[in-house]
Coordinates of all heavy atoms in Angstrom, one line a residue:
M18 N 29.3 33.7 97.0 CA 28.7 32.4 97.5 C 27.5 32.1 96.7 O 26.7 32.9 96.2 CB 28.3 32.7 99.0 CG 27.6 31.5 99.4 SD 26.7 31.7 101.1 CE 25.5 32.8 100.7
K19 N 27.4 30.8 96.4 CA 26.3 30.4 95.6 C 25.8 29.0 96.2 O 26.6 28.1 96.5 CB 26.8 30.1 94.2 CG 25.6 29.7 93.3 CD 26.1 29.7 91.9 CE 25.0 29.2 90.9 NZ 25.5 29.3 89.4
I20 N 24.5 28.9 96.4 CA 23.9 27.6 96.8 C 23.1 26.9 95.8 O 22.3 27.7 95.1 CB 22.9 27.9 98.0 CG1 23.5 28.7 99.2 CG2 22.3 26.5 98.6 CD1 24.7 28.1 99.8
T21 N 23.5 25.7 95.4 CA 22.9 25.0 94.2 C 22.4 23.7 94.7 O 22.9 23.1 95.7 CB 23.9 25.0 93.1 OG1 24.9 24.3 93.6 CG2 24.1 26.3 92.5
L22 N 21.5 23.1 93.9 CA 21.3 21.6 94.1 C 22.4 20.8 93.6 O 23.2 21.2 92.7 CB 19.9 21.3 93.3 CG 18.7 21.9 93.8 CD1 17.5 21.5 92.8 CD2 18.3 21.2 95.2
N23 N 22.5 19.6 94.2 CA 23.5 18.7 93.7 C 23.4 18.4 92.3 O 22.2 18.3 91.7 CB 23.3 17.4 94.4 CG 24.4 16.3 94.4 OD1 24.9 16.2 93.2 ND2 24.7 15.5 95.4
P24 N 24.4 18.5 91.5 CA 24.4 18.3 90.0 C 23.9 16.8 89.6 O 23.5 16.7 88.4 CB 25.8 18.5 89.4 CG 26.6 18.4 90.7 CD 25.8 18.8 91.8
D25 N 23.9 16.0 90.6 CA 23.5 14.6 90.3 C 22.0 14.5 90.5 O 21.6 14.4 91.6 CB 24.2 13.7 91.3 CG 24.0 12.1 91.0 OD1 22.9 11.7 90.5 OD2 24.9 11.3 91.2
G26 N 21.3 14.4 89.4 CA 19.9 14.5 89.5 C 19.2 13.3 90.2 O 18.2 13.4 90.7
E27 N 19.9 12.1 90.2 CA 19.4 10.9 90.9 C 19.5 11.1 92.4 O 18.5 10.8 93.1 CB 20.2 9.7 90.5 CG 19.6 8.4 91.1 CD 18.3 8.1 90.5 OE1 17.9 8.5 89.5 OE2 17.6 7.3 91.3
I28 N 20.5 11.8 92.9 CA 20.6 12.0 94.3 C 19.5 13.0 94.8 O 18.8 12.9 95.7 CB 22.0 12.6 94.7 CG1 23.0 11.5 94.7 CG2 22.0 13.2 96.1 CD1 24.4 11.8 94.9
V29 N 19.3 14.0 93.9 CA 18.3 15.1 94.2 C 16.9 14.4 94.3 O 16.1 14.6 95.1 CB 18.3 16.2 93.1 CG1 17.1 17.1 93.3 CG2 19.6 17.0 93.3
K30 N 16.6 13.4 93.3 CA 15.3 12.8 93.2 C 15.1 12.0 94.5 O 14.1 12.1 95.2 CB 15.3 12.0 92.0 CG 14.1 11.1 91.9 CD 14.1 10.2 90.7 CE 12.9 9.2 90.7 NZ 13.1 8.1 89.7
I31 N 16.2 11.2 94.9 CA 16.1 10.3 96.1 C 15.8 11.3 97.4 O 15.0 10.8 98.1 CB 17.3 9.5 96.3 CG1 17.4 8.4 95.2 CG2 17.4 8.8 97.5 CD1 18.6 7.7 94.9
V32 N 16.5 12.2 97.5 CA 16.5 13.0 98.7 C 15.1 13.8 98.8 O 14.5 13.8 99.9 CB 17.7 14.1 98.8 CG1 17.4 15.0 100.0 CG2 19.0 13.4 98.9
K33 N 14.7 14.3 97.6 CA 13.4 15.0 97.6 C 12.2 13.9 98.0 O 11.3 14.3 98.6 CB 13.2 15.6 96.3 CG 13.9 16.9 96.1 CD 13.5 17.8 94.9 CE 14.3 19.2 95.0 NZ 13.7 19.9 93.9
E34 N 12.4 12.8 97.5 CA 11.3 11.7 97.8 C 11.4 11.5 99.3 O 10.4 11.4 99.8 CB 11.6 10.4 97.0 CG 11.3 10.5 95.5 CD 11.8 9.3 94.7 OE1 12.4 8.4 95.2 OE2 11.4 9.3 93.6
G35 N 12.5 11.4 99.9 CA 12.7 11.1 101.3 C 12.1 12.4 102.0 O 11.5 12.2 103.1
L36 N 12.4 13.5 101.6 CA 11.7 14.8 102.3 C 10.3 14.7 102.3 O 9.6 15.0 103.3 CB 12.2 16.0 101.6 CG 13.7 16.4 101.9 CD1 14.1 17.5 100.9 CD2 13.9 16.7 103.4
K37 N 9.7 14.2 101.2 CA 8.2 14.1 101.1 C 7.8 13.0 102.1 O 6.7 13.2 102.9 CB 7.8 13.7 99.8 CG 7.9 14.8 98.7 CD 7.3 14.3 97.4 CE 7.7 15.4 96.3 NZ 7.3 14.9 94.9
R38 N 8.5 11.9 102.2 CA 8.1 10.8 103.1 C 8.1 11.3 104.6 O 7.4 10.8 105.5 CB 9.0 9.6 103.0 CG 8.6 8.5 102.1 CD 9.4 7.2 102.3 NE 10.8 7.4 102.7 CZ 11.8 7.7 102.0 NH1 11.6 7.7 100.7 NH2 13.0 7.8 102.5
T39 N 9.1 12.1 104.8 CA 9.4 12.5 106.3 C 8.7 13.9 106.7 O 8.9 14.3 107.7 CB 10.9 12.6 106.6 OG1 11.4 13.6 105.8 CG2 11.6 11.4 106.4
G40 N 8.0 14.5 105.8 CA 7.3 15.7 106.0 C 8.3 16.8 106.1 O 8.0 17.9 106.9
G41 N 9.4 16.9 105.4 CA 10.3 17.9 105.3 C 11.5 17.8 106.2 O 12.4 18.7 106.1
Y42 N 11.6 16.7 107.0 CA 12.9 16.5 107.7 C 13.9 15.8 107.0 O 13.5 15.0 106.1 CB 12.5 15.7 108.9 CG 11.5 16.4 110.0 CD1 10.2 16.3 109.9 CD2 12.1 17.3 110.9 CE1 9.4 17.0 110.7 CE2 11.3 18.0 111.7 CZ 9.9 17.9 111.7 OH 9.1 18.6 112.5
C43 N 15.1 16.0 107.3 CA 16.3 15.3 106.6 C 16.0 13.8 106.7 O 15.9 13.3 107.6 CB 17.5 15.7 107.2 SG 19.0 14.9 106.5
P44 N 15.9 13.0 105.4 CA 15.7 11.7 105.5 C 16.9 10.8 105.8 O 16.8 9.6 106.1 CB 15.4 11.5 103.9 CG 16.0 12.6 103.1 CD 16.0 13.7 104.1
C45 N 18.1 11.6 106.1 CA 19.3 10.8 106.5 C 19.4 10.8 108.0 O 20.3 10.2 108.6 CB 20.6 11.7 105.9 SG 20.6 11.9 104.2
R46 N 18.5 11.5 108.7 CA 18.4 11.5 110.2 C 17.4 10.5 110.7 O 16.4 10.3 110.1 CB 18.1 12.9 110.7 CG 19.0 14.0 110.1 CD 20.3 14.1 110.7 NE 21.0 15.2 110.3 CZ 22.0 15.7 110.7 NH1 22.6 15.4 111.8 NH2 22.7 16.9 110.2
T47 N 17.7 9.9 111.8 CA 16.8 9.1 112.5 C 15.7 9.7 113.3 O 14.7 9.0 113.5 CB 17.6 8.0 113.4 OG1 18.3 8.7 114.4 CG2 18.5 7.1 112.5
E48 N 15.9 11.0 113.8 CA 15.0 11.6 114.5 C 14.4 12.9 113.8 O 15.1 13.4 112.9 CB 15.7 12.2 115.8 CG 16.3 11.3 116.7 CD 16.9 11.9 117.9 OE1 18.1 12.2 117.7 OE2 16.4 12.0 118.9
K49 N 13.2 13.1 114.1 CA 12.5 14.3 113.6 C 12.5 15.4 114.6 O 11.8 15.5 115.5 CB 11.0 14.0 113.2 CG 10.8 13.1 112.1 CD 9.4 12.9 111.7 CE 9.2 12.1 110.5 NZ 7.8 12.0 110.0
K50 N 13.6 16.2 114.5 CA 13.8 17.4 115.3 C 13.8 18.6 114.4 O 14.1 18.5 113.3 CB 15.2 17.4 116.0 CG 15.4 16.3 117.0 CD 16.8 16.5 117.6 CE 17.0 15.4 118.7 NZ 18.3 15.5 119.3
E51 N 13.3 19.8 115.0 CA 13.1 21.0 114.2 C 14.4 21.4 113.5 O 14.4 21.8 112.4 CB 12.5 22.0 115.1 CG 12.1 23.3 114.2 CD 10.9 22.9 113.3 OE1 10.2 22.1 113.5 OE2 10.9 23.5 112.2
E52 N 15.6 21.1 114.1 CA 17.0 21.5 113.5 C 17.2 20.6 112.3 O 18.1 20.9 111.6 CB 17.9 21.5 114.5 CG 18.3 20.1 115.2 CD 17.6 20.1 116.5 OE1 16.7 20.7 116.8 OE2 18.3 19.2 117.4
Y53 N 16.5 19.5 112.1 CA 16.7 18.6 111.0 C 15.8 18.9 109.9 O 15.8 18.2 108.9 CB 16.6 17.2 111.4 CG 17.6 16.8 112.4 CD1 17.4 15.7 113.2 CD2 18.9 17.4 112.6 CE1 18.3 15.3 114.2 CE2 19.8 16.9 113.5 CZ 19.5 15.8 114.2 OH 20.4 15.4 115.3
R54 N 14.9 19.9 110.1 CA 14.0 20.3 108.8 C 14.8 20.9 107.8 O 15.7 21.8 108.0 CB 12.9 21.2 109.4 CG 11.8 21.4 108.3 CD 10.7 22.2 108.9 NE 9.9 21.5 109.8 CZ 8.8 20.5 109.4 NH1 8.6 20.4 108.1 NH2 8.1 19.9 110.2
C55 N 14.6 20.5 106.6 CA 15.3 21.1 105.4 C 14.9 22.6 105.1 O 13.8 22.9 105.2 CB 15.0 20.2 104.2 SG 16.0 20.5 102.7
M56 N 15.8 23.3 105.0 CA 17.2 23.3 105.0 C 17.6 23.3 106.5 O 17.3 24.2 107.2 CB 17.7 24.6 104.2 CG 19.2 24.8 104.2 SD 19.7 26.2 103.3 CE 19.5 25.7 101.6
C57 N 18.5 22.4 106.9 CA 18.7 22.1 108.3 C 19.6 23.1 108.9 O 20.3 23.9 108.2 CB 19.4 20.7 108.4 SG 21.0 20.5 107.8
E58 N 19.6 23.2 110.2 CA 20.5 24.2 111.0 C 21.9 24.0 110.7 O 22.6 25.0 110.7 CB 20.1 24.1 112.4 CG 18.7 24.6 112.8 CD 18.4 26.1 112.4 OE1 19.3 26.9 112.5 OE2 17.4 26.4 111.8
E59 N 22.3 22.7 110.6 CA 23.7 22.4 110.4 C 24.2 23.0 109.0 O 25.2 23.8 109.1 CB 23.8 20.9 110.3 CG 25.3 20.4 110.0 CD 25.4 19.0 109.8 OE1 24.5 18.2 109.8 OE2 26.6 18.6 109.8
F60 N 23.4 23.0 108.0 CA 23.8 23.5 106.8 C 23.7 25.0 106.8 O 24.6 25.8 106.2 CB 23.0 23.0 105.6 CG 23.6 23.4 104.2 CD1 24.9 23.1 104.0 CD2 22.9 24.0 103.3 CE1 25.5 23.3 102.8 CE2 23.4 24.3 102.1 CZ 24.8 24.1 101.7
K61 N 22.8 25.6 107.5 CA 22.6 27.1 107.6 C 23.9 27.6 108.4 O 24.4 28.6 107.9 CB 21.4 27.4 108.4 CG 20.1 27.3 107.6 CD 18.9 27.6 108.5 CE 17.6 27.4 107.8 NZ 16.5 27.6 108.6
S62 N 24.4 26.9 109.3 CA 25.6 27.3 109.9 C 26.8 27.2 109.1 O 27.7 28.0 109.0 CB 25.9 26.3 111.2 OG 24.9 26.6 112.2
Q63 N 26.8 26.2 108.3 CA 28.0 26.0 107.2 C 27.8 27.1 106.3 O 28.9 27.6 105.9 CB 27.9 24.6 106.7 CG 28.3 23.5 107.6 CD 27.9 22.0 106.9 OE1 26.9 21.9 106.3 NE2 28.7 21.0 107.3
I64 N 26.7 27.5 105.9 CA 26.6 28.6 104.9 C 27.1 29.8 105.5 O 27.9 30.7 104.9 CB 25.1 28.8 104.5 CG1 24.5 27.6 103.6 CG2 24.7 30.1 103.8 CD1 23.1 27.8 103.5
A65 N 26.9 30.1 106.8 CA 27.4 31.3 107.5 C 28.9 31.3 107.6 O 29.5 32.4 107.8 CB 26.7 31.5 108.8
D66 N 29.5 30.2 107.5 CA 30.9 30.0 107.8 C 31.6 30.4 106.3 O 31.4 29.6 105.4 CB 31.3 28.6 108.1 CG 32.9 28.4 108.3 OD1 33.7 29.2 108.0 OD2 33.2 27.3 108.7
P67 N 32.3 31.5 106.2 CA 32.9 31.9 105.0 C 34.0 30.9 104.5 O 34.2 30.9 103.2 CB 33.5 33.3 105.3 CG 33.6 33.4 106.7 CD 32.6 32.4 107.3
A68 N 34.5 30.1 105.2 CA 35.5 29.2 104.8 C 34.9 27.8 104.3 O 35.5 27.0 103.7 CB 36.5 28.8 106.1
F69 N 33.7 27.6 104.7 CA 33.1 26.3 104.3 C 32.6 26.3 102.8 O 32.0 27.2 102.3 CB 31.7 26.0 105.1 CG 31.0 24.7 104.7 CD1 31.5 23.5 105.1 CD2 30.0 24.8 103.8 CE1 30.9 22.3 104.7 CE2 29.3 23.6 103.4 CZ 29.7 22.4 103.8
E70 N 33.0 25.2 102.1 CA 32.4 24.9 100.8 C 32.3 23.5 100.7 O 33.0 22.7 101.1 CB 33.6 25.3 99.7 CG 33.0 25.2 98.3 CD 33.9 25.8 97.2 OE1 34.8 26.6 97.6 OE2 33.6 25.5 96.1
G71 N 31.0 23.1 100.3 CA 30.7 21.7 100.2 C 29.1 21.4 100.3 O 28.4 22.3 100.2
F72 N 28.8 20.1 100.5 CA 27.5 19.6 100.4 C 26.9 19.7 101.9 O 27.6 19.5 102.8 CB 27.4 18.2 99.9 CG 27.6 18.1 98.5 CD1 28.8 17.6 98.0 CD2 26.5 18.3 97.6 CE1 29.0 17.5 96.6 CE2 26.7 18.1 96.3 CZ 27.9 17.8 95.7
C73 N 25.6 19.9 101.9 CA 24.8 19.7 103.2 C 24.8 18.2 103.6 O 25.4 17.3 102.8 CB 23.4 20.1 103.1 SG 22.4 19.1 101.9
H74 N 24.4 17.8 104.7 CA 24.4 16.5 105.2 C 23.9 15.5 104.3 O 24.4 14.4 104.1 CB 23.6 16.4 106.6 CG 23.8 15.2 107.3 ND1 22.8 14.2 107.2 CD2 24.7 14.6 108.1 CE1 23.1 13.2 107.9 NE2 24.3 13.3 108.5
C75 N 22.7 15.8 103.8 CA 22.1 14.7 102.9 C 22.4 14.8 101.4 O 22.0 14.1 100.5 CB 20.5 14.8 102.9 SG 19.9 16.4 102.3
M76 N 23.4 15.8 101.1 CA 23.9 16.0 99.7 C 22.9 16.5 98.7 O 23.1 16.6 97.5 CB 24.4 14.6 99.1 CG 25.4 13.9 100.0 SD 27.0 14.6 99.9 CE 27.6 14.1 98.2
L77 N 21.8 17.2 99.2 CA 21.0 17.9 98.4 C 21.4 19.3 97.8 O 21.4 19.6 96.6 CB 19.5 18.1 99.1 CG 18.5 18.8 98.3 CD1 18.1 18.0 97.0 CD2 17.3 19.0 99.1
Y78 N 22.0 20.0 98.8 CA 22.6 21.3 98.5 C 24.0 21.4 98.5 O 24.7 20.7 99.2 CB 22.0 22.4 99.5 CG 20.5 22.6 99.4 CD1 19.7 22.1 100.3 CD2 19.9 23.2 98.3 CE1 18.3 22.3 100.4 CE2 18.5 23.5 98.3 CZ 17.7 22.9 99.3 OH 16.3 23.2 99.4
Y79 N 24.6 22.3 97.8 CA 26.1 22.6 97.6 C 26.2 24.1 97.8 O 25.7 24.9 97.1 CB 26.6 22.1 96.3 CG 28.2 22.2 96.3 CD1 29.0 21.2 96.9 CD2 28.7 23.3 95.7 CE1 30.4 21.3 96.9 CE2 30.1 23.3 95.6 CZ 30.9 22.5 96.4 OH 32.4 22.6 96.3
K80 N 27.3 24.4 98.7 CA 27.6 25.8 98.9 C 29.0 25.9 98.2 O 29.9 25.2 98.5 CB 27.7 26.1 100.3 CG 28.3 27.7 100.4 CD 28.7 27.9 101.8 CE 29.4 29.3 101.9 NZ 30.2 29.5 103.0
S81 N 28.9 26.9 97.3 CA 30.3 27.2 96.6 C 30.7 28.6 97.0 O 29.8 29.4 97.2 CB 30.1 27.2 95.1 OG 31.1 27.7 94.3
N82 N 32.0 28.8 97.2 CA 32.4 30.1 97.6 C 32.8 31.0 96.3 O 33.2 32.1 96.5 CB 33.6 29.9 98.5 CG 33.2 29.6 99.9 OD1 32.1 29.8 100.3 ND2 34.1 28.8 100.5
K83 N 32.6 30.4 95.1 CA 32.9 31.2 94.0 C 31.9 32.4 93.9 O 30.8 32.2 94.1 CB 32.9 30.3 92.7 CG 33.8 29.1 92.8 CD 33.7 28.4 91.6 CE 34.8 27.2 91.6 NZ 34.6 26.2 90.6
E84 N 32.4 33.4 93.5 CA 31.5 34.6 93.2 C 30.8 34.4 91.9 O 31.3 33.8 91.0 CB 32.4 36.0 93.1 CG 33.0 36.3 94.3 CD 32.0 36.8 95.5 OE1 31.0 37.3 95.1 OE2 32.2 36.3 96.6
T85 N 29.6 34.9 91.9 CA 28.9 34.9 90.6 C 28.6 36.3 90.1 O 28.6 37.2 90.8 CB 27.5 34.2 90.8 OG1 26.7 35.1 91.7 CG2 27.6 32.8 91.4
S86 N 28.5 36.5 88.8 CA 28.3 37.7 88.2 C 27.0 38.3 88.3 O 26.7 39.5 88.3 CB 28.7 37.7 86.8 OG 27.8 36.8 86.0
E87 N 26.0 37.5 88.7 CA 24.6 37.9 88.9 C 24.2 37.8 90.4 O 23.1 38.0 90.7 CB 23.7 36.8 88.1 CG 24.0 36.8 86.6 CD 23.2 35.9 85.9 OE1 22.3 35.2 86.5 OE2 23.4 35.6 84.7
G88 N 25.2 37.8 91.3 CA 24.9 37.8 92.7 C 24.6 36.4 93.1 O 24.9 35.4 92.5
E89 N 24.0 36.3 94.4 CA 23.9 35.0 95.0 C 22.5 34.3 94.5 O 21.6 35.1 94.1 CB 23.7 35.2 96.5 CG 25.0 35.5 97.2 CD 24.8 35.9 98.6 OE1 23.8 35.6 99.3 OE2 25.8 36.3 99.2
D90 N 22.6 33.0 94.4 CA 21.5 32.3 93.8 C 21.1 31.2 94.8 O 22.0 30.4 95.3 CB 21.9 31.6 92.4 CG 20.7 30.8 92.0 OD1 19.5 31.1 92.3 OD2 21.1 29.9 91.2
Q91 N 19.9 31.2 95.4 CA 19.5 30.1 96.2 C 18.3 29.3 95.5 O 17.3 29.8 95.3 CB 19.1 30.6 97.5 CG 20.2 31.1 98.4 CD 19.7 31.3 99.8 OE1 18.8 31.4 100.2 NE2 20.8 31.5 100.7
N92 N 18.6 28.0 95.4 CA 17.5 27.1 94.9 C 16.8 26.3 96.0 O 17.5 26.0 96.9 CB 18.0 26.1 93.9 CG 18.7 26.7 92.6 OD1 18.1 27.8 92.1 ND2 19.8 26.2 92.2
G93 N 15.5 26.0 95.8 CA 15.0 25.2 96.8 C 13.5 25.1 96.7 O 12.6 25.1 96.6

């Protein structure tokens, strides 16, 4: 498993600006709830699911199920 930032730098820039504006809450959500604080509970649950591969809700992070030769890598 590997967690990486979205390879699209423009999306990363926009989401990170949104996180700054909202105090660390997912900028894609209308409510500021603790479970929406980045890295959100939804994505943490998806990370724990061995079958899940894909982006988090706001498209900032991507979970790949491919094995890496250097172990797991988490950016953030």
Side-chain angles (χ1 to χ4, degrees):
M18 175 187 71
K19 185 175 181 179
I20 307 298
T21 57
L22 288 174
N23 189 323
D25 186 328
E27 188 63 24
I28 290 175
V29 171
K30 178 183 171 190
I31 290 168
V32 174
K33 284 188 172 188
E34 288 171 356
L36 287 168
K37 286 180 187 176
R38 266 195 333 271
T39 62
Y42 293 93
C43 181
C45 305
R46 309 281 186 164
T47 58
E48 296 178 278
K49 287 186 178 181
K50 294 182 175 181
E51 194 58 35
E52 62 260 28
Y53 298 155
R54 186 173 289 279
C55 190
M56 177 178 290
C57 69
E58 292 300 319
E59 178 183 9
F60 192 55
K61 288 178 185 176
S62 295
Q63 291 170 325
I64 290 170
D66 178 356
F69 176 80
E70 182 166 352
F72 287 101
C73 68
H74 184 266
C75 66
M76 305 282 290
L77 179 62
Y78 294 107
Y79 184 81
K80 178 195 172 197
S81 172
N82 287 332
K83 295 178 183 173
E84 292 295 321
T85 63
S86 59
E87 299 175 4
E89 294 176 4
D90 180 28
Q91 289 193 344
N92 294 322

